Amino acid sequence: MKKILAKALLASLSASFLIGCTSADIKNPSSTDDASDVITTDTNTDSDNSSSKDASDNSSDASSIDASDDLVDDESTALISSSEGYLAAADLFEELFNDPSIEVDDNNIQILKNGVSDIDNNKFIGTWNRTYVAMGVDGYVEIEEASKSTCLVNGSFDHYGNCGDIDNITGYYLSENTMFAVDEEFDAVYLFKISGESMEIAQRGWGCMGGGVSANGTYVTTEPEYINEHDIEFAFTEDELTAINKLLSDNGLDYEEYFETPILYGIFETSIGDAVFGDGTTMSGRWFTSVAPHGITRNLNLFISDDGNIYLESGWNASDEAEFYTTDENASSMPGAVETEG
């Protein structure tokens, strides 16, 4: 279209010039004076020369316009193509981020790569800690700058004893707040989105992860907050904690290994109910259990009776043998929980 308009403009200029020459030719022959004839001849000559020069200039201008149009067309095409690639990548990113049921294939990965932006993005650089999870599901990601459009991603993640990794994979920036990384070896894509002071990660595909492990979650560059970090102080009184510590210490056992770590790094539950002993007697009180699904810590089975006695059983998943400790001189084994009717 630009070329057509330029040619139309040149045609208009040429027509105007020819009209001007014709007017001069009509006026000059009306005089019979010799000087007028000379002047007329000179005028025609100058006009012819001017016409030739202007025509040459117009031709040169037309060539310049064509060349300029070609350059503009190329730049416009590249800009439009780049914009379309980014918009398609941004839309796909949001779909994948919000819908884990969408399968990421090679075509999707290529669409994402078509939208990669060459920006200097420092927002993602640093160490990010997974937050608002239990301590047994902690994790972190380290992001290092590689180029204006890429970075290097590493990470480690836990799930109650099972673990997983992101090992030196390339991350690609889509915008100041979004990026993605592809783990080709373990067939996974990781989507990163910054919102305020935190970063969300959405994992698509298995990746190099053990059972139950993923990189999904919210991350911060500050100290993480764990949803179970206050479980012990909420579940027990100070007197009960002192008595438990003394019971373990009297038996030469480590309080942290046998009590704190199982609660903080296992799946911890509490309930109110009765206990039944081997002779059939029952006792009311509170139950505390903590199980580490993948054996990261000892398991804990604890009953505190209403009269203050402590019954504690500790063991590992891989062992059938459990250790029993109590403040009740008359008990030799762990009581069982009385099932309540639902």
Side-chain angles (χ1 to χ4, degrees):
M1 177 59 75
K2 292 179 180 178
K3 294 181 180 179
I4 295 172
L5 291 175
K7 291 178 180 179
L9 177 60
L10 290 174
S12 175
L13 291 172
S14 299
S16 298
F17 176 76
L18 291 174
I19 292 173
C21 291
T22 303
S23 299
D25 290 343
I26 292 173
K27 182 178 180 181
N28 288 334
S30 64
S31 173
T32 57
D33 188 84
D34 291 341
S36 298
D37 291 341
V38 173
I39 292 172
T40 301
T41 302
D42 291 340
T43 301
N44 289 337
T45 302
D46 292 340
S47 177
D48 291 342
N49 291 337
S50 177
S51 298
S52 176
K53 181 176 182 301
D54 289 346
S56 176
D57 290 344
N58 289 336
S59 176
S60 176
D61 290 343
S63 297
S64 297
I65 291 173
D66 287 343
S68 178
D69 282 347
D70 289 340
L71 180 60
V72 171
D73 287 345
D74 291 342
E75 292 177 347
S76 298
T77 300
L79 183 60
I80 292 172
S81 177
S82 176
S83 297
E84 290 177 345
Y86 170 75
L87 291 174
D91 288 343
L92 178 60
F93 179 94
E94 291 299 326
E95 291 180 14
L96 295 175
F97 191 89
N98 294 317
D99 189 352
S101 67
I102 299 177
E103 183 177 353
V104 182
D105 55 23
D106 291 340
N107 181 58
N108 286 337
I109 293 174
Q110 188 57 54
I111 292 174
L112 291 174
K113 287 185 176 181
N114 288 342
V116 172
S117 300
D118 187 14
I119 57 177
D120 188 7
N121 198 337
N122 291 321
K123 281 188 176 182
F124 287 96
I125 305 305
T127 300
W128 297 80
N129 303 301
R130 182 151 55 186
T131 190
Y132 307 129
V133 292
M135 289 185 179
V137 196
D138 61 348
Y140 71 89
V141 172
E142 291 181 345
I143 302 176
E144 301 176 12
E145 184 177 4
S147 71
K148 285 188 175 182
S149 60
T150 64
C151 57
L152 190 64
V153 183
N154 288 278
S156 179
F157 317 93
D158 293 314
H159 186 270
Y160 302 110
N162 280 356
C163 59
D165 297 290
I166 293 177
D167 186 21
N168 286 330
I169 64 175
T170 300
Y172 301 89
Y173 300 132
L174 289 177
S175 71
E176 290 184 354
N177 297 313
T178 57
M179 63 169 273
F180 68 94
V182 181
D183 190 336
E184 297 180 355
E185 182 179 359
F186 293 99
D187 194 25
V189 174
Y190 301 91
L191 308 168
F192 304 77
K193 179 190 286 188
I194 288 179
S195 178
E197 300 298 321
S198 64
M199 177 178 71
E200 297 287 335
I201 299 180
Q203 177 180 332
R204 302 295 177 257
W206 289 105
C208 182
M209 304 290 172
V213 186
S214 80
N216 293 327
T218 302
Y219 293 74
V220 293
T221 55
T222 55
E223 287 295 317
E225 295 183 28
Y226 296 108
I227 60 175
N228 67 328
E229 61 185 329
H230 299 294
D231 278 3
I232 292 177
E233 59 188 273
F234 290 160
F236 302 91
T237 67
E238 287 294 331
D239 289 342
E240 289 171 342
L241 293 177
T242 299
I244 293 170
N245 195 349
K246 183 178 184 305
L247 171 65
L248 295 173
S249 177
D250 288 346
N251 286 277
L253 305 175
D254 183 71
Y255 176 78
E256 182 177 339
E257 177 187 350
Y258 278 76
F259 181 73
E260 284 188 345
T261 300
I263 291 176
L264 296 177
Y265 288 89
I267 299 176
F268 180 58
E269 296 179 346
T270 67
S271 62
I272 297 175
D274 293 341
V276 58
F277 292 83
D279 60 3
T281 61
T282 61
M283 188 178 298
S284 61
R286 290 150 47 231
W287 284 95
F288 307 87
T289 60
S290 187
V291 178
H294 312 299
I296 186 176
T297 73
R298 288 176 169 273
N299 295 325
L300 174 68
N301 189 23
L302 175 66
F303 178 73
I304 300 179
S305 65
D306 288 344
D307 61 7
N309 274 320
I310 297 170
Y311 306 84
L312 187 152
E313 188 177 54
S314 176
W316 295 93
N317 286 347
S319 174
D320 293 332
E321 297 182 3
E323 303 171 29
F324 173 65
Y325 306 97
T326 182
T327 58
D328 184 354
E329 296 179 353
N330 298 317
S332 60
S333 62
M334 188 70 189
V338 176
E339 296 184 3
T340 58
E341 295 182 2

